Each structure stands twice: as structure tokens, then as C-alpha cells.
């Protein structure tokens, strides 16, 4: 065991280039890796107000009316007795859009909880203990049954053998959640482990208790078609590990009663989560078009206000002496005030209800899509799920079609 302890000391200095996973060694209880709990929701209680406000202010219409509401408070240019009359309408529009996004994020949080609370089986000695995916840690040995999903990236240790006298150490996995492929992929147990663990569940669990060593492998990365590692077992020669010996999170076991696996990566370190990018702030084609049209309308409005303020200034110059009782004054400051006054006066040139009308239409479209019988599958009792109502208007807007030889 001294050799294993010495090699593990190297792991602390080489942790940036490779990962060391110990099992049945003194260091197995000291190794620290990330939790297997995942989080795909976008908002929390403390960042939701800031992120949602930023996303709404990105819409030019909302920014425009917020500026108009601010100008309406200024007494010298206000035509509403310093009351921001457009503010309730724009807050209603922004609030409705925020509520939709929070509703969608709640569905993501619910999906995260379902995944984190999914059942799994951990091997402790000769016993199989029920647990949840959140409880899974690096170095644990899991028992995964047929058609069950993998809660983490695991090294295949053994599995059900139809013919115990002639163990094959093989199983199949379905990886459509990873790469979209529906064809099954073959996975094999290392020949060293087949010889050491045996072919029945009782033999495998008993042998695992006396098996000590560690796995030296690549650091977490998103490459689902490649894995580089080495298995070191006490008293045995090191053997290489490839992607054909590893089952990845998100795939599911097929064509075997059960498999046993040593957890290598958990949570954010798994390959599927490494490949998951942070979702960008999405804008549909309609939103971008509306922003473009809003920009054109605002430019037109600025031109109208500029022309009006210039014409008023010219009229003041011509009529200041004639209508002396009006106490007309001509200055560059007055021109700027007149410009802002006309801007507030003509603010209704832009529709304040445009945003909420579009949001209501998107919400209605998403509801009909989710409840339409045309998108319902009776075989598996599954209906269409709209995860982002902001993009429902993108349906039918196809610019490219990518297809490989299998048609996925």
C-alpha cells in the first residue's frame, strides 16, 4: 500500500493535469471533489431582480419609456404636472415579461430537483443501499440496472453475466441524451477486473472489498468521445482505460440486468455538464426587428422634436417684440428645454402597449403549442414542452439544415 500512498502524494501536485480517484485506500476518505448536485436554473432570490431588469432594459421600447417617465417628472418640461403617467404602463409590461421568465425558470428548477432526487444504489460491502443522485461521491461504487440513467461518469467494474462460466464483461448504453444517436454503443469491462471480481453479484461485491488502488485519469473536460486514464490495482500491473470502459452521465444502460461502476466524475465535472454552456440572453428575430424599428421611430421622433424646437425658436425671434406680454426669451438653453418638452409631448408617438401585446401573444402561442393534440404522443403520454416562450415566434424560421449520414 506504500506505493499507492506515494503515488497519491504526487496527485496533489499534479491535480491540474490529471485526476486521482482512490478506492479502498486511506486516501479514499480524504479526497475532495465537487458535489453531484446540478443546477441549470438561471435565477436566484438575490440576482433575479438585477438580471431580469437588465434583460428588460435591453429592449429599446422599455428603455425609451423609462427615459420618458424620468423626463415627465421634471417640472420645466413636464406636461403632466410632474406625474410619470407612462411609468405604470411600462412597469406592467416589464412585470408581465419578468413573471413569464420566472415561471420558465421555476420549471428548470423543478427539473433540477427531479434529477437530483432520482434514486440510485450504492454498494457498501455486501449490501446495496438506496440513495439519491445528490448523495453520489467520487470513489463510490454504484449498481445501475437495465434502462436506468447514469448519475455520474463511472468506470465499468463488472456486470450481469448470463454465462458465469464464460464471463464477457460487456454491456450496451444509449447515448441519445449526449450526442443524439439512438443506436446502442458497446462498453466492456477491463480484462483485469473480470479476472479479479468474478462473474456473479456476490463474488463481485466480496472481491470489491479487498480490491485497493486508484484511477489516474484526465481532468474534467467536455469531450464525450475520448477518455484517457490508467487503473492501478495493488499487486497488479497498471492497465489503460479508454472511452469503451467508461459510462458517462446522461447515458442509460441497455441489454443487461445490471452493471457496477466506480464513480470518477460527479456534478459539474461530468463530461455532459462540462459541455453545457451558460445560456446566453436570448432575443428572437421579432424582438430584434422591433428594436430596429423602434430605433427608426425614435430617430424620427428626435427629428420632429428638433424641427419643432427650431421652428419655435424662430417664431420667438420674430414675435418677441410684438407679443411683449408673453415675456418670450430666446436662448440656447430654451431650445434644449423646448426639445425635451416636445419629446415628452410626443412620447405617445411610440406605442406603450406594443411590448405587453407581443408578450401576451407569445404566452398564448406557447400555451396552444403545449396543449395541442397535434403535438401529443399517446404512446408515452408526452406533450410538447415550451421551455422558452421568448422564442416561440422562431418556429418556422429556418435558415440552415444540418444532417449527418444517420439523419439526426
Amino acid at each position: 500500500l506504500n506505493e499507492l500512498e506515494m503515488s497519491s502524494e504526487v496527485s496533489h501536485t499534479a491535480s491540474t493535469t490529471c485526476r486521482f480517484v482512490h478506492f479502498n485506500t486511506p486516501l479514499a476518505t480524504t479526497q475532495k471533489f465537487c458535489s453531484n448536485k446540478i443546477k441549470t436554473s438561471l435565477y436566484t432570490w438575490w440576482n433575479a431582480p438585477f438580471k431580469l431588469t437588465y434583460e428588460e432594459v435591453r429592449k429599446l421600447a422599455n428603455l425609451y419609456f423609462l427615459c420618458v417617465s424620468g423626463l415627465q417628472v421634471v417640472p420645466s418640461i413636464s406636461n403632466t404636472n410632474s406625474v410619470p403617467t407612462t411609468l405604470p404602463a411600462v412597469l406592467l409590461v416589464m412585470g408581465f415579461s419578468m413573471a413569464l421568465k420566472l415561471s420558465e425558470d421555476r420549471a428548470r428548477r423543478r427539473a433540477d430537483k427531479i434529477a437530483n432526487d432520482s434514486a440510485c444504489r450504492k454498494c457498501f460491502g455486501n449490501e446495496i443501499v438506496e440513495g439519491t443522485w445528490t448523495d453520489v461521491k467520487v470513489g463510490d461504487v454504484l449498481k445501475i440496472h437495465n434502462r436506468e440513467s447514469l448519475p455520474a461518469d463511472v468506470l465499468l467494474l463488472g456486470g450481469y453475466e448470463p454465462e458465469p462460466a464464460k464471463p464477457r464483461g460487456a454491456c450496451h448504453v444509449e447515448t441519445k441524451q449526449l450526442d443524439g444517436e439512438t443506436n446502442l454503443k458497446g462498453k466492456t469491462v477491463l480484462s483485469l477486473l473480470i479476472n479479479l471480481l468474478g462473474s456473479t453479484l456476490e463474488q463481485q461485491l466480496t472481491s470489491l472489498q479487498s480490491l485497493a488502488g486508484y484511477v489516474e485519469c484526465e481532468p474534467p473536460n467536455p469531450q464525450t468521445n475520448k477518455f484517457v486514464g490508467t487503473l492501478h490495482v495493488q499487486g497488479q500491473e497498471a492497465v489503460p482505460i479508454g472511452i469503451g470502459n467508461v459510462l458517462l452521465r446522461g447515458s442509460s444502460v441497455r441489454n443487461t440486468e445490471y452493471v457496477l461502476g466506480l464513480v470518477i466524475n460527479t456534478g459539474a465535472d461530468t463530461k455532459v455538464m462540462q459541455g453545457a454552456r451558460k445560456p446566453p440572453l436570448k432575443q428572437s428575430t421579432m424582438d430584434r426587428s422591433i428594436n430596429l424599428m423602434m430605433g427608426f421611430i425614435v430617430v424620427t421622433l428626435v427629428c420632429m422634436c428638433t424641427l419643432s424646437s427650431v421652428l419655435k425658436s424662430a417664431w420667438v425671434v420674430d414675435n418677441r417684440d410684438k407679443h411683449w406680454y408673453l415675456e418670450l426669451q430666446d436662448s440656447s438653453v430654451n431650445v434644449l428645454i423646448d426639445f425635451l418638452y416636445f419629446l415628452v409631448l410626443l412620447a405617445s408617438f411610440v406605442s406603450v402597449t406594443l411590448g405587453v401585446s407581443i408578450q401576451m401573444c407569445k404566452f398564448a402561442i406557447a400555451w396552444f403549442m403545449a396543449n395541442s393534440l397535434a403535438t401529443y404522443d399517446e404512446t408515452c403520454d408526452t406533450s410538447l414542452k415550451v421551455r422558452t416562450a421568448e422564442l416561440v415566434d422562431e418556429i418556422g424560421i429556418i435558415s440552415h439544415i444540418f444532417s449527418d449520414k444517420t439523419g439526426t
Side-chain angles (χ1 to χ4, degrees):
L1 197 60
N2 293 333
E3 179 184 351
L4 298 177
E5 293 177 352
M6 292 177 59
S7 63
S8 63
E9 294 177 0
V10 182
S11 68
H12 296 288
T13 60
S15 58
T16 57
T17 57
C18 56
R19 166 176 289 220
F20 291 79
V21 179
H22 292 261
F23 53 93
N24 293 336
T25 69
L27 290 171
T29 57
T30 62
Q31 53 190 3
K32 295 182 180 180
F33 299 98
C34 69
S35 168
N36 199 40
K37 186 176 182 179
I38 63 168
K39 175 180 174 294
T40 60
S41 57
L42 303 178
Y43 309 112
T44 60
W45 65 269
W46 58 269
N47 70 6
F50 304 101
K51 293 183 70 173
L52 289 172
T53 301
Y54 172 71
E55 292 174 13
E56 291 305 310
V57 172
R58 288 178 70 219
K59 300 177 182 178
L60 191 57
N62 294 339
L63 180 61
Y64 168 78
F65 284 109
L66 287 176
C67 294
V68 170
S69 299
L71 293 175
Q72 286 180 332
V73 179
V74 182
S76 59
I77 61 175
S78 176
N79 62 337
T80 59
N81 294 325
S82 299
V83 178
T85 56
T86 60
L87 186 60
V90 69
L91 290 181
L92 177 64
V93 172
M94 295 175 62
F96 185 79
S97 178
M98 289 179 180
L100 286 180
K101 292 179 180 179
L102 287 175
S103 176
E104 295 168 357
D105 197 60
R106 184 183 178 186
R108 297 189 193 97
R109 187 174 287 104
R110 191 181 300 115
D112 290 345
K113 180 174 176 57
I114 293 174
N116 292 327
D117 293 342
S118 298
C120 69
R121 301 168 186 84
K122 300 170 66 173
C123 300
F124 289 98
N126 289 327
E127 298 182 356
I128 306 295
V129 180
E130 295 283 343
T132 63
W133 284 21
T134 307
D135 301 328
V136 174
K137 299 178 181 179
V138 173
D140 288 344
V141 176
L142 303 180
K143 180 185 179 186
I144 303 99
H145 288 189
N146 188 35
R147 296 189 173 275
E148 287 186 347
S149 296
L150 275 298
D153 295 347
V154 303
L155 169 65
L156 186 59
L157 298 178
Y160 174 74
E161 297 293 348
E163 299 180 12
K166 298 179 180 179
R168 297 183 299 112
C171 72
H172 291 84
V173 293
E174 185 181 68
T175 61
K176 64 181 180 181
Q177 297 292 336
L178 301 177
D179 51 20
E181 298 288 346
T182 56
N183 58 306
L184 302 181
K185 296 180 174 61
K187 301 290 182 177
T188 57
V189 182
L190 295 172
S191 57
L192 172 65
L193 294 176
I194 296 177
N195 297 329
L196 292 177
L197 298 183
S199 55
T200 65
L201 180 61
E202 292 74 12
Q203 292 175 350
Q204 293 166 351
L205 294 178
T206 303
S207 300
L208 279 173
Q209 299 180 54
S210 59
L211 197 69
Y214 66 93
V215 174
E216 179 184 0
C217 61
E218 61 188 10
N221 63 78
Q223 300 178 2
T224 58
N225 60 347
K226 183 178 74 72
F227 187 89
V228 178
T230 306
L231 174 64
H232 300 265
V233 178
Q234 182 182 3
Q236 304 290 332
E237 293 185 2
V239 292
I241 304 172
I243 190 63
N245 312 119
V246 176
L247 310 182
L248 303 181
R249 177 180 178 133
S251 57
S252 56
V253 178
R254 290 288 190 273
N255 298 342
T256 187
E257 185 175 319
Y258 72 89
V259 295
L260 300 178
L262 174 69
V263 178
I264 299 175
N265 295 320
T266 55
D269 289 343
T270 58
K271 287 184 177 290
V272 64
M273 295 304 295
Q274 285 281 311
R277 296 177 297 175
K278 185 179 180 180
L281 298 178
K282 298 177 181 178
Q283 277 189 322
S284 66
T285 303
M286 179 181 293
D287 289 335
R288 289 193 293 269
S289 300
I290 290 175
N291 281 344
L292 184 62
M293 290 185 287
M294 280 293 302
F296 175 76
I297 293 174
V298 170
V299 170
T300 304
L301 180 60
V302 169
C303 293
M304 293 175 59
C305 295
T306 303
L307 180 61
S308 299
S309 58
V310 170
L311 292 177
K312 180 188 175 183
S313 179
W315 184 88
V316 169
V317 171
D318 294 339
N319 296 273
R320 180 173 50 190
D321 297 331
K322 181 178 179 181
H323 303 286
W324 54 270
Y325 51 87
L326 295 178
E327 298 182 355
L328 300 173
Q329 296 180 357
D330 182 29
S331 66
S332 58
V333 176
N334 287 337
V335 173
L336 178 60
I337 293 177
D338 290 337
F339 172 83
L340 295 176
Y341 178 81
F342 284 116
L343 183 63
V344 174
L345 186 65
L346 300 175
S348 58
F349 189 68
V350 180
S351 174
V352 69
T353 60
L354 176 64
V356 70
S357 300
I358 293 176
Q359 291 296 332
M360 292 179 67
C361 289
K362 288 184 176 181
F363 178 77
I365 293 173
W367 186 88
F368 280 112
M369 290 172 60
N371 292 275
S372 173
L373 292 178
T375 59
Y376 174 74
D377 185 6
E378 294 184 7
T379 305
C380 56
D381 189 24
T382 305
S383 60
L384 185 145
K385 293 182 180 180
V386 180
R387 300 188 181 276
T388 306
E390 288 285 328
L391 303 178
V392 293
D393 52 286
E394 295 289 320
I395 300 296
I397 304 178
I398 301 174
S399 59
H400 297 78
I401 296 178
F402 294 93
S403 178
D404 62 9
K405 61 182 179 180
T406 60
T408 56

